[in-house]
Amino acid sequence: LRNSKFSGINAEYGALESKQTLHLQNNMARLENNKWFVENINGNPDIKIEGKPNQGLFICKVKQSVISVTGKINTIVIDNVEGSGIIFDDVISTVEVINSKKVQLQANGAVPAISIDKTAGATVFLQTHASQSA
């Protein structure tokens, strides 16, 4: 964290430092208290997240990028995203898309519900693990 762009977070939230976990991955995503945050990214085709069942993912203000989520994750919320793709394996709860344009979702595993609200141009690809090997 010392050399990252989030190094000031310890000074700003010093009292919460012992309670919060902050983890950076590829300087594109950060993990805070079991929630991944991918925000304010433009034109990156290779953002990777390794999810766990107790974690959520919040994607906001991302343009012309591709986000790949491996593993099982609890929930994915996509807000104000334009011209981007999100590829994920298994989702326990829901995938929500809000206020977005030209979004592509690819579910490579189980997803019980997908909610799309106030979005123009959403494409959803669904497949199971069995169909991937065919």
Side-chain angles (χ1 to χ4, degrees):
L1 285 175
R2 290 183 183 114
N3 296 329
S4 73
K5 64 181 179 179
F6 296 103
S7 60
I9 203 162
N10 289 337
E12 186 177 344
Y13 300 105
L16 300 175
E17 184 177 354
S18 62
K19 294 180 184 177
Q20 290 185 346
T21 301
L22 180 66
H23 175 73
L24 299 177
Q25 184 170 340
N26 299 332
N27 289 329
M28 299 291 163
R30 71 182 192 277
L31 177 63
E32 294 181 28
N33 294 335
N34 293 332
K35 278 198 176 180
W36 283 101
F37 291 91
V38 178
E39 300 172 302
N40 302 313
I41 296 173
N42 191 357
N44 189 329
D46 192 31
I47 302 168
K48 297 189 186 301
I49 304 288
E50 293 180 25
K52 295 182 181 175
N54 64 338
Q55 296 174 341
L57 172 60
F58 180 71
I59 303 168
C60 182
K61 297 179 183 174
V62 173
K63 293 183 179 182
Q64 305 299 324
S65 300
V66 177
I67 301 166
S68 300
V69 182
T70 56
K72 187 180 279 192
I73 196 160
N74 190 12
T75 186
I76 299 174
V77 177
I78 302 159
D79 186 14
N80 200 11
V81 172
E82 186 174 334
S84 297
I86 295 89
I87 304 165
F88 53 90
D89 289 339
D90 295 310
V91 176
I92 297 170
S93 181
T94 61
V95 175
E96 292 183 61
V97 182
I98 309 160
N99 299 322
S100 297
K101 296 177 186 175
K102 296 182 182 178
V103 177
Q104 292 186 344
L105 304 175
Q106 180 175 328
N108 292 333
V111 56
I114 297 175
S115 170
I116 301 172
D117 192 26
K118 296 181 183 177
T119 297
T123 306
V124 180
F125 300 95
L126 301 173
Q127 62 181 341
T128 62
H129 290 293
S131 67
Q132 290 177 5
S133 61

